Amino acid sequence: MNIAILGCGTVATGTIKLLQNNRQEIIKTLGEEITIRKVMDLYPDKVLSLGFPKEVYCSSLDEILADESISLIVELIGGTTAAYSFITRALKAGRHIVTANKDLIALYSKELDTLAGENNVFLMYEASVAGGIPLLGPLRRTLAANKIQSIYGILNGTTNYILSHMTKDGSDYLTVLKQAQELGFAEANPASDVGGADAARKVAILASLAFHTRVTYPQVHHEGITTITEADIRFARQEGYVPKLLGVTREINGSVVSYVRPALVPESHPLASVNEAYNAVYLVGDPVEKVMLYGKGAGAGPTASSVAGDIMEICRRLRREGTARDDLPFYEDKPLMDITETVNLYYVRILAADKPKVLAGIAGAFGDHDISIESLVQEPRKNGYAELMILTHAASEASLQATIYDLMQREYIKEVNTMIVLEEEE
Amino acid sequence: MNIAILGCGTVATGTIKLLQNNRQEIIKTLGEEITIRKVMDLYPDKVLSLGFPKEVYCSSLDEILADESISLIVELIGGTTAAYSFITRALKAGRHIVTANKDLIALYSKELDTLAGENNVFLMYEASVAGGIPLLGPLRRTLAANKIQSIYGILNGTTNYILSHMTKDGSDYLTVLKQAQELGFAEANPASDVGGADAARKVAILASLAFHTRVTYPQVHHEGITTITEADIRFARQEGYVPKLLGVTREINGSVVSYVRPALVPESHPLASVNEAYNAVYLVGDPVEKVMLYGKGAGAGPTASSVAGDIMEICRRLRREGTARDDLPFYEDKPLMDITETVNLYYVRILAADKPKVLAGIAGAFGDHDISIESLVQEPRKNGYAELMILTHAASEASLQATIYDLMQREYIKEVNTMIVLEEEE
């Protein structure tokens, strides 16, 4: 399949890199290659610096539409003026469209969906809401049999970063905003993020798909986080809540209501543990009950993941032509690794006789197998036994098993139990 | 599309009810109806008690295969003997298959996928892993462009319920197991859950699809939770960890390793907040980074959601025949409700002059608009102002706005800020 990409900014570059880096896997999955024939941008250097030959660069949509071999166009320009014109022209010219353009879809999803249908081409926009999180796909496919009742989303990474740090560090809004700007988590002009407009656009798109009715951005009431103070957060914590900016859309007695509001979320609610710049969408449907989808809501890589997923899905649909044969998972024969070859942190609990030199003996057994101990707690237990709780540094499962085998040979060891420790991630 | 259902137990009943209750939405989404022509079971009464006419009941697969109008068969018998034979016969007879059968798929996914391909029919099994959570669909569609690096899953509701309550209540394993059995969260014979075998089957299915290689249940090392003690949990909590039974599959230098092990998860990790009988799958891919999918891993409704999603997906693929026109989201014109008509709990912060009768006046304003106050904290602030933090009982946004308008007319009120409060769910 030949495609063209409109725009050569961050997301476009991420998408191009993904299609290059994961080329083999994509060919195996689809049974064909996705080839970038044209990249349109104002600046040729941006395109050429990615290693494309001169003829891939183009400066007008006409050049792309003139190439009959290009069946799918990826719109990554953003905005609602040029992008709207390009997409409508491309749809009318019978080209499938994949876009990450939240602003555009939040205003014109119904018109553009209808235009796509009239021209019998696909229009997909998974990346327009919550970046890399699989959201519109599951909503329209796996969850398609449900009546969706409500959606509560943390849909803006900047505001979630700010609220997380106000809560964690006890800092005030302006201090955290400044930090966020320095770290690149907030724009120099953060108005559309902190005021709730960005989240409102995503709510409009979600509401339209979940409730099968037209909801556009101006129809979503929105408020932001700029008035939240330390006093609010202190009070919320005392009462068992965490502050979040929630995008909400619900169907109530056949009517749909959509809004973005700062909200107090009970500490035990899954949304309460969505921190830093992460996004999450919590939905309630009948009969699936509660589902939460969590991940990175922005960034070149996560957004490119959704853009490429849409391209592949269209590719698959075009090739299928009513047959199932092409839709198989592909299987290769990869070697299976035994768990003994893995490297983990471990927790080890040992029940041992409470007498001299036992501790030294146990520590020695770990040392003999090159396992170093990060922390150790000894608790006395009844009947002359002591219980030792140990956290290790990284060690192979083989070393751990050898250590346990070694320990079990000793008459003063009664019992050894282990768990793996999941490493903390940034 | 005419379908048949094999088995008439809990999940089958849930699926039948879903197809009845959400019939209108399904027809609007697909443009056609899903009709249950046959239900096969040993006991006619089970089928007749669901309101089906006598001719829907059947007792053998032959009766179903003899009906050429039935193109899709839903296997909900479970087990690996009769189900294997029924599915292979049905695939060879050119029938599409949807199944929730984890035991079978964990052993034979590659054979059955291959057989489906040879016969040019679809085989789908979203419900075989983690019930209602959209998982295999997103993995094979939205996330298809990623190289999956690792998957960490809480894949068994029984063990997660037990570990959650051991952690929360400080009870020991056997006490919580007994409670779980009484409440229906654990089977009378819990061996396959608490020993890790159930989770291992799900890991085998996930590993096969994520890493495109054959991993079967016996190749997944598994351990359970029966040796976890209060001492383990106490130590874990002190060190900042939460105990979970994790199903893990990772690709390391081209090899795939898969195992189920009790694990300590850092408190700040998204998996740490997955409590009670909920399941979640956390995956790391390139370039999507981290994604978590969370929901009910079992139960008639959530499982039926995935079964019906698969049926609809096959229906859509068969009808598409290479055209996009049928794949549009459908749009109706639902009324939009204004946010003022919604009912919420509210948090209200008021900055007011710190003088007599102000508190009574504020409380009166809420009362005048029929808003009752659940809790109120007053804190003195500088410059003669006091700050009041209020949680309300349920009230309409219109009442809240009227209250705020009323308050703002008073000279002693300087500022009013509000948040909605997300209600705690069971």
Side-chain angles (χ1 to χ4, degrees):
Chain A
M1 168 182 266
N2 292 327
I3 69 170
I5 296 178
L6 308 186
C8 195
T10 315
V11 173
T13 306
T15 304
I16 291 162
K17 282 191 183 150
L18 190 169
L19 295 175
Q20 287 166 348
N21 293 344
N22 294 1
R23 182 172 167 270
Q24 286 307 327
E25 287 77 7
I26 292 171
I27 291 174
K28 284 178 201 153
T29 301
L30 295 179
E32 67 176 294
E33 184 159 8
I34 295 169
T35 305
I36 302 168
R37 293 270 290 188
K38 293 281 176 195
V39 180
M40 186 181 100
D41 199 277
L42 289 177
Y43 305 102
D45 286 356
K46 283 209 226 166
V47 178
L48 301 179
S49 72
L50 293 171
F52 286 111
K54 214 166 64 243
E55 59 272 23
V56 167
Y57 172 76
C58 72
S59 58
S60 85
L61 186 64
D62 295 326
E63 290 177 68
I64 293 168
L65 297 182
D67 184 341
E68 295 288 341
S69 80
I70 295 172
S71 52
L72 186 153
I73 297 174
V74 184
E75 185 277 305
L76 299 172
I77 292 172
T80 57
T81 49
Y84 181 84
S85 143
F86 290 151
I87 288 180
T88 51
R89 284 177 59 203
L91 290 172
K92 286 178 185 163
R95 300 327 210 275
H96 307 285
I97 295 286
V98 171
T99 176
N101 192 328
K102 166 189 65 207
D103 297 8
L104 187 71
I105 299 299
L107 285 173
Y108 302 116
S109 64
K110 187 176 175 183
E111 285 87 345
L112 295 175
D113 277 332
T114 306
L115 188 61
E118 286 166 7
N119 290 283
N120 202 22
V121 288
F122 292 109
L123 166 67
M124 296 189 74
Y125 40 85
E126 175 70 65
S128 69
V129 185
I133 305 177
L135 190 52
L136 307 188
L139 206 52
R140 297 195 53 201
R141 308 272 145 194
T142 318
L143 299 172
N146 287 272
K147 283 184 194 152
I148 304 298
Q149 294 161 341
S150 48
I151 294 180
Y152 300 90
I154 293 173
L155 294 168
N156 181 272
T158 302
T159 48
N160 203 48
Y161 178 90
I162 293 172
L163 290 175
S164 295
H165 281 267
M166 285 176 71
T167 305
K168 203 170 85 177
D169 312 336
S171 312
D172 65 22
Y173 168 72
L174 287 173
T175 306
V176 181
L177 172 61
K178 193 152 166 289
Q179 283 167 5
Q181 285 171 324
E182 284 164 10
L183 293 168
F185 288 115
E187 304 279 344
N189 177 356
S192 125
D193 293 314
V194 301
D198 177 77
R201 291 191 174 91
K202 295 163 184 167
V203 168
I205 300 172
L206 285 174
S208 298
L209 286 180
F211 299 121
H212 302 290
T213 195
R214 185 182 192 173
V215 179
T216 62
Y217 161 60
Q219 295 169 316
V220 181
H221 168 92
H222 66 272
E223 298 174 31
I225 64 162
T226 53
T227 59
I228 298 178
T229 65
E230 296 156 270
D232 294 328
I233 292 175
R234 202 167 52 239
F235 178 81
R237 300 296 294 167
Q238 277 163 13
E239 301 281 330
Y241 293 103
V242 179
K244 295 287 177 197
L245 183 68
L246 288 191
V248 179
T249 181
R250 298 153 64 195
E251 181 165 341
I252 303 171
N253 302 325
S255 291
V256 174
V257 61
S258 308
Y259 49 92
V260 176
R261 279 286 291 268
L264 298 185
V265 174
E267 275 170 0
S268 60
H269 194 286
L271 285 171
S273 57
V274 177
N275 289 315
E276 303 294 323
Y278 280 91
N279 284 17
V281 172
Y282 179 87
L283 64 86
V284 185
D286 175 28
V288 76
E289 303 180 22
K290 294 148 195 168
V291 168
M292 188 171 87
L293 309 169
Y294 164 103
K296 283 274 173 76
T303 310
S305 162
S306 289
V307 169
D310 279 353
I311 297 171
M312 290 174 73
E313 180 64 13
I314 291 176
C315 191
R316 221 174 336 220
R317 289 186 193 170
L318 294 177
R319 274 179 43 264
R320 191 176 300 123
E321 292 172 12
T323 74
R325 201 160 276 148
D326 293 331
D327 199 63
L328 293 177
F330 73 86
Y331 288 106
E332 301 178 309
D333 288 317
K334 290 189 186 169
L336 300 188
M337 182 188 281
D338 195 78
I339 188 172
T340 54
E341 295 173 56
T342 63
V343 172
N344 292 286
L345 309 184
Y346 292 97
Y347 164 74
V348 184
R349 173 168 47 81
I350 300 171
L351 189 62
D354 194 4
K355 56 186 192 186
K357 297 196 185 164
V358 163
L359 182 58
I362 291 172
F366 281 87
D368 289 348
H369 297 282
D370 284 327
I371 300 181
S372 68
I373 290 174
E374 193 204 301
S375 73
L376 184 153
V377 170
Q378 179 172 347
E379 289 184 3
R381 238 181 83 167
K382 58 212 167 195
N383 305 330
Y385 284 102
E387 203 156 41
L388 276 80
M389 266 86 70
I390 294 170
L391 284 180
T392 74
H393 285 289
S396 76
E397 180 83 20
S399 302
L400 181 81
Q401 295 304 337
T403 308
I404 294 171
Y405 180 82
D406 189 350
L407 287 170
M408 292 306 289
Q409 308 310 310
R410 305 176 182 196
E411 51 33 81
Y412 57 81
I413 300 286
K414 190 164 180 215
E415 195 182 309
V416 180
N417 280 292
T418 71
M419 298 196 209
I420 54 171
V421 176
L422 190 63
E423 285 180 74
E424 183 91 53
E425 305 184 60
E426 97 294 355
Chain B
M1 168 181 267
N2 292 327
I3 70 170
I5 296 179
L6 309 186
C8 197
T10 315
V11 172
T13 306
T15 303
I16 291 162
K17 283 190 182 151
L18 190 169
L19 294 175
Q20 287 166 349
N21 293 345
N22 295 0
R23 181 172 168 271
Q24 285 307 326
E25 287 77 9
I26 292 171
I27 292 174
K28 283 179 202 153
T29 300
L30 295 178
E32 68 176 294
E33 184 160 6
I34 295 169
T35 306
I36 301 169
R37 293 271 290 190
K38 293 282 177 197
V39 179
M40 185 181 102
D41 198 276
L42 290 177
Y43 306 101
D45 287 356
K46 282 209 227 165
V47 177
L48 301 177
S49 72
L50 293 171
F52 285 111
K54 214 168 63 245
E55 60 270 26
V56 167
Y57 172 77
C58 71
S59 59
S60 86
L61 186 66
D62 294 328
E63 288 178 70
I64 293 169
L65 297 181
D67 185 340
E68 294 288 341
S69 79
I70 295 172
S71 52
L72 187 153
I73 298 174
V74 184
E75 184 276 305
L76 298 172
I77 293 171
T80 57
T81 50
Y84 181 84
S85 141
F86 290 152
I87 288 181
T88 51
R89 282 178 59 204
L91 289 173
K92 285 177 186 163
R95 299 326 210 276
H96 307 284
I97 295 286
V98 171
T99 177
N101 192 327
K102 167 189 62 208
D103 297 8
L104 186 71
I105 299 298
L107 285 172
Y108 302 116
S109 64
K110 187 178 176 183
E111 286 85 344
L112 295 175
D113 277 331
T114 305
L115 188 61
E118 284 166 8
N119 290 282
N120 201 23
V121 288
F122 293 109
L123 166 67
M124 295 187 75
Y125 40 85
E126 176 69 66
S128 68
V129 185
I133 304 178
L135 190 53
L136 308 189
L139 206 51
R140 296 195 53 201
R141 308 270 145 198
T142 317
L143 298 173
N146 286 272
K147 281 184 194 152
I148 304 298
Q149 295 161 341
S150 49
I151 294 180
Y152 301 90
I154 294 173
L155 294 167
N156 181 273
T158 302
T159 48
N160 203 49
Y161 178 91
I162 293 172
L163 291 176
S164 295
H165 280 267
M166 287 176 70
T167 305
K168 202 170 86 176
D169 311 337
S171 312
D172 65 22
Y173 169 72
L174 287 173
T175 307
V176 181
L177 173 61
K178 193 150 166 290
Q179 285 167 2
Q181 285 170 325
E182 284 162 10
L183 294 167
F185 288 116
E187 304 279 344
N189 177 356
S192 126
D193 291 314
V194 300
D198 176 77
R201 292 190 173 91
K202 295 164 184 167
V203 168
I205 300 173
L206 285 175
S208 299
L209 286 180
F211 299 121
H212 302 289
T213 195
R214 184 179 191 172
V215 179
T216 63
Y217 161 61
Q219 294 169 315
V220 181
H221 168 91
H222 67 272
E223 298 174 32
I225 64 163
T226 53
T227 60
I228 297 178
T229 65
E230 296 154 272
D232 294 328
I233 291 175
R234 202 166 50 240
F235 178 81
R237 300 296 293 165
Q238 278 164 12
E239 302 280 331
Y241 294 102
V242 179
K244 295 287 175 197
L245 184 66
L246 288 191
V248 179
T249 181
R250 297 153 65 195
E251 181 166 341
I252 302 171
N253 302 327
S255 291
V256 174
V257 61
S258 308
Y259 49 94
V260 175
R261 280 285 291 269
L264 299 184
V265 175
E267 274 170 1
S268 60
H269 194 285
L271 285 169
S273 56
V274 177
N275 289 314
E276 303 295 325
Y278 280 90
N279 285 16
V281 172
Y282 178 88
L283 65 85
V284 185
D286 175 26
V288 76
E289 303 180 23
K290 296 147 193 167
V291 168
M292 189 172 87
L293 309 168
Y294 164 103
K296 284 274 173 76
T303 309
S305 163
S306 288
V307 169
D310 279 353
I311 297 171
M312 290 175 73
E313 179 64 14
I314 291 176
C315 191
R316 220 174 335 219
R317 289 185 193 170
L318 294 177
R319 275 179 43 264
R320 193 175 298 124
E321 291 173 11
T323 74
R325 203 160 273 146
D326 294 332
D327 197 63
L328 293 178
F330 73 86
Y331 288 106
E332 301 177 310
D333 288 316
K334 291 189 184 167
L336 300 188
M337 183 188 280
D338 194 79
I339 187 172
T340 55
E341 294 174 57
T342 63
V343 172
N344 292 286
L345 311 183
Y346 293 97
Y347 163 75
V348 184
R349 172 169 48 81
I350 300 171
L351 189 62
D354 194 3
K355 56 186 192 185
K357 298 198 184 161
V358 163
L359 182 56
I362 291 172
F366 280 88
D368 289 348
H369 297 282
D370 285 327
I371 301 181
S372 68
I373 291 174
E374 194 204 300
S375 73
L376 186 153
V377 170
Q378 180 174 343
E379 288 186 2
R381 237 181 83 168
K382 58 210 165 192
N383 304 331
Y385 284 101
E387 204 156 40
L388 275 81
M389 266 87 71
I390 295 170
L391 284 179
T392 74
H393 285 290
S396 75
E397 179 85 19
S399 301
L400 181 80
Q401 294 305 335
T403 308
I404 293 171
Y405 181 81
D406 188 350
L407 286 170
M408 291 306 288
Q409 308 309 309
R410 305 175 183 197
E411 52 31 84
Y412 57 81
I413 301 287
K414 188 163 179 214
E415 195 184 307
V416 181
N417 281 292
T418 71
M419 297 195 210
I420 55 172
V421 176
L422 192 63
E423 286 180 73
E424 183 91 55
E425 304 181 63
E426 96 292 357

